[in-house]
């Protein structure tokens, strides 16, 4: 059996490029996470069809998981620990472009709001970008905590299947929001 490469968020643009790149380099068993819901399923189905047409000798497994959910992460860790994982690429990210709330009412994004702000002389300036936090638990959970959880839960399996690698993908998307 071939060792597996796990890429979170593998059906998006960056994750898809990573998965296709790994297949081009000879990876024969790839696993990626899929967001729950109809949109995630449709995107995953289209990606899987294109992948299997391009790389018929490679296996692609799709695992549905909300990476902001501790219980989904626990289930994902259980499933991944049954595989011979040699590569983990933490690529998934939560970065809503507009203000959205999760099902539990928690804000999904650290949002830049254009609100009047006061300078050191007490003068308000309109249109100044101020970074405000409306309870960004989901974004923090996916972009930071899920990475740490997956690295921790796969540590033992990665040690068994050496040489192994962990790659964490990041973004400077929030750059330039500071006043």
């Amino acid at each position: 059996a071939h060792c597996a490469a796990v890429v979170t968020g593998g059906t998006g643009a960056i994750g898809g490029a990573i998965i296709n790149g790994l297949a081009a380099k000879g990876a024969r068993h790839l696993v990626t996470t899929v967001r729950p819901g109809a949109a995630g399923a449709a995107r995953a189905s289209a990606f899987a069809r294109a992948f299997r047409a391009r790389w018929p000798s490679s296996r692609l497994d799709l695992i549905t998981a909300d990476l902001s959910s501790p219980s989904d992460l626990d289930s994902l860790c259980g499933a991944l620990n049954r595989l011979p994982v040699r590569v983990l690429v933490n690529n998934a990210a939560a970065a809503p472009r507009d203000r959205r709330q999760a099902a539990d009412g928690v804000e999904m994004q650290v949002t830049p709001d254009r609100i009047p702000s006061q300078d050191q002389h007490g003068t308000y300036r309109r249109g100044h970008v101020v970074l405000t936090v409306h309870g960004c638990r989901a974004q923090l959970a996916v972009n930071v905590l899920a990475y740490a959880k997956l690295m921790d839960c796969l540590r033992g399996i990665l040690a068994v299947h050496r040489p192994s690698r962990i790659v964490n993908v990041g973004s400077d998307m929030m750059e330039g929001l500071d006043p």
Side-chain angles (χ1 to χ4, degrees):
H2 295 283
C3 285
V6 176
V7 180
T8 63
T11 61
I14 294 171
I18 293 168
I19 285 181
N20 282 294
L22 289 168
K25 294 288 185 183
R28 294 292 165 249
H29 185 187
L30 295 128
V31 180
T32 190
T33 56
V34 176
R35 289 182 183 165
R43 181 182 219 172
S45 178
F47 180 81
R49 271 193 312 277
F51 177 87
R52 290 177 180 130
R54 185 172 182 189
W55 308 107
S57 63
S58 290
R59 173 179 163 190
L60 176 65
D61 293 336
L62 305 169
I63 300 175
T64 301
D66 176 355
L67 299 183
S68 70
S69 163
S71 63
D72 276 17
L73 267 176
D74 287 341
S75 295
L76 177 62
C77 285
L80 294 177
N81 270 303
R82 291 189 289 275
L83 300 174
V85 177
R86 180 171 277 166
V87 175
L88 168 63
V89 180
N90 280 313
N91 168 69
R97 291 183 174 87
D98 55 357
R99 187 174 181 192
R100 276 190 258 165
Q101 290 184 332
D104 62 2
V106 173
E107 292 286 336
M108 296 275 300
Q109 174 71 309
V110 177
T111 58
D113 290 328
R114 295 199 178 273
I115 59 174
S117 63
Q118 197 172 19
D119 66 16
Q120 72 258 17
H121 304 295
T123 305
Y124 284 93
R125 296 175 289 161
R126 294 205 173 271
H128 191 84
V129 176
V130 177
L131 192 62
T132 61
V133 179
H134 299 286
C136 60
R137 187 180 77 212
Q139 188 178 15
L140 177 66
V142 173
N143 299 358
V144 179
L145 301 178
Y147 283 32
K149 171 76 173 185
L150 290 172
M151 288 186 295
D152 185 54
C153 83
L154 293 177
R155 181 178 46 202
I157 234 35
L158 288 164
V160 169
H161 298 287
R162 292 179 186 242
S164 57
R165 297 288 181 265
I166 297 173
V167 177
N168 292 319
V169 178
S171 169
D172 65 354
M173 186 175 154
M174 299 299 284
E175 184 178 22
L177 293 179
D178 292 331

